[in-house]
Amino acid sequence: MPPRRRTDPELGRSALRAWHADPDGTDRATRGTAVRYALEELATRAPGNSVEVRVPPYGVVQCVEGPRHTRGTPPNVVETDAETWLRLVQGEIPWSQALAEGVLRVSGTRADLSGLLPLTREARA
């Protein structure tokens, strides 16, 4: 069963477009909506509970099929800042570059999301 969306998809796509058009000029609320929408989109496309993706302070989501984590710190974690997350989602930075630059913290054998990103159609075209 896919996760329940808390962000209206149209509002989320609109916020993502606004951030893409002017990353430095996007207000905090719009940036937060874009981040939460992208996290929810990832969880919808790769449902599961084996990887936790964190983008503080905006949101966290569990995704990717595999062993379910129930207590303590999850064994498979991806954590980054909002700017990096949105750049990954849009295809502006590849996973490998974010890792090399140290702006993406990854632990666990299932935490490689490179095959799931970017999420936007514009980036894949």
Side-chain angles (χ1 to χ4, degrees), residues 7-63:
T7 305
D8 177 273
E10 191 52 45
L11 288 175
R13 286 188 290 271
S14 178
L16 199 53
R17 285 190 299 271
W19 176 86
H20 185 69
D22 185 11
D24 295 329
T26 303
D27 62 75
R28 187 175 182 353
T30 302
R31 182 178 298 108
T33 299
V35 168
R36 284 186 293 277
Y37 165 73
L39 286 169
E40 291 170 7
E41 185 66 18
L42 174 66
T44 298
R45 293 184 188 190
N49 294 356
S50 70
V51 178
E52 187 167 286
V53 182
R54 302 172 180 168
V55 183
Y58 298 106
V60 61
V61 71
Q62 290 188 353
C63 59

Side-chain angles (χ1 to χ4, degrees), residues 41-110:
E41 185 66 18
L42 174 66
T44 298
R45 293 184 188 190
N49 294 356
S50 70
V51 178
E52 187 167 286
V53 182
R54 302 172 180 168
V55 183
Y58 298 106
V60 61
V61 71
Q62 290 188 353
C63 59
V64 183
E65 285 186 18
R68 180 179 180 90
H69 170 74
T70 56
R71 297 182 69 158
T73 301
N76 299 288
V77 176
V78 174
E79 186 169 343
T80 192
D81 60 277
E83 190 79 17
T84 302
W85 174 245
L86 293 173
R87 291 178 69 206
L88 285 163
V89 165
Q90 292 280 355
E92 294 178 12
I93 182 174
W95 182 267
S96 58
Q97 182 180 342
L99 278 174
E101 291 176 359
V103 293
L104 185 61
R105 291 162 301 286
V106 178
S107 65
T109 58
R110 296 178 173 273

